[in-house]
């Protein structure tokens, strides 16, 4: 019976070789992903945009933020108790920054709310 042989060695890679290996191991982004990243960088003026924050929120997301039901958000919108939404076709969306600022300001009625401040 033979005993196992242990080898210990060190590999030294140049920075260029490391970059090449990283390129090979990193999946390439689709044109849609690249376009989305470019537009987000432009909107945030070169700063790194938050990965989990969208520019617009739907009724469900607003309801979750306010801790109320979707129906309550719709009622608040109909009664003029919250900022006006953006309509994209039939879709109703609210600006994330505006809704968060509105909540921070104490949720004043839409008639008293000015955006941007």
């Amino acid at each position: 019976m033979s005993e196992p042989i242990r080898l210990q060695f060190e590999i030294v890679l140049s920075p260029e070789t490391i970059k090449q290996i990283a390129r090979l191991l990193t999946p390439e982004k689709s044109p849609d992903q690249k376009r989305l990243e470019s537009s987000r960088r432009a909107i945030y003026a070169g700063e790194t945009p938050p990965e989990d924050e969208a520019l617009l929120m739907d009724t469900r997301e607003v309801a979750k933020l306010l801790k109320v039901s979707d129906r309550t958000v719709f009622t608040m919108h109909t009664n003029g108790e919250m900022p006006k939404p953006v309509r994209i076709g039939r879709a109703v969306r609210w600006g994330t920054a505006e809704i968060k600022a509105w909540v921070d300001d104490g949720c004043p009625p839409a008639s008293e709310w000015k955006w941007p401040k």
Side-chain angles (χ1 to χ4, degrees):
M1 223 186 245
S2 64
E3 293 190 28
I5 301 173
R6 291 189 179 171
L7 299 174
Q8 184 176 359
F9 56 93
E10 181 178 326
I11 298 175
V12 179
L13 301 173
S14 69
E16 184 58 38
T17 305
I18 294 171
K19 287 179 186 176
Q20 289 175 349
I21 292 171
R23 268 188 247 123
L24 290 172
L25 296 176
T26 306
E28 190 168 323
K29 295 179 181 175
S30 71
D32 288 339
Q33 289 173 322
K34 290 178 183 177
R35 189 171 32 255
L36 177 63
E37 286 179 8
S38 295
S39 65
R40 292 186 86 198
R41 276 194 301 275
I43 290 169
Y44 286 93
E47 294 180 15
T48 305
E51 289 298 321
D52 60 341
E53 185 175 314
L55 296 176
L56 298 174
M57 300 172 77
D58 64 8
T59 305
R60 199 171 311 150
E61 293 170 310
V62 173
K64 185 177 177 182
L65 178 72
L66 299 176
K67 293 184 173 50
V68 297
S69 69
D70 295 1
R71 184 72 188 155
T72 302
V73 171
F74 179 75
T75 303
M76 290 172 67
H77 161 59
T78 304
N79 295 339
E81 298 173 15
M82 60 186 305
K84 294 191 185 285
V86 175
R87 292 192 180 272
I88 304 171
R90 289 183 167 190
V92 177
R93 303 287 186 264
W94 284 267
T96 301
E98 182 178 10
I99 288 295
K100 287 184 177 181
W102 176 70
V103 170
D104 290 343
D105 205 31
C107 302
S111 59
E112 299 172 15
W113 175 248
K114 300 283 189 252
W115 179 256
K117 286 199 167 198

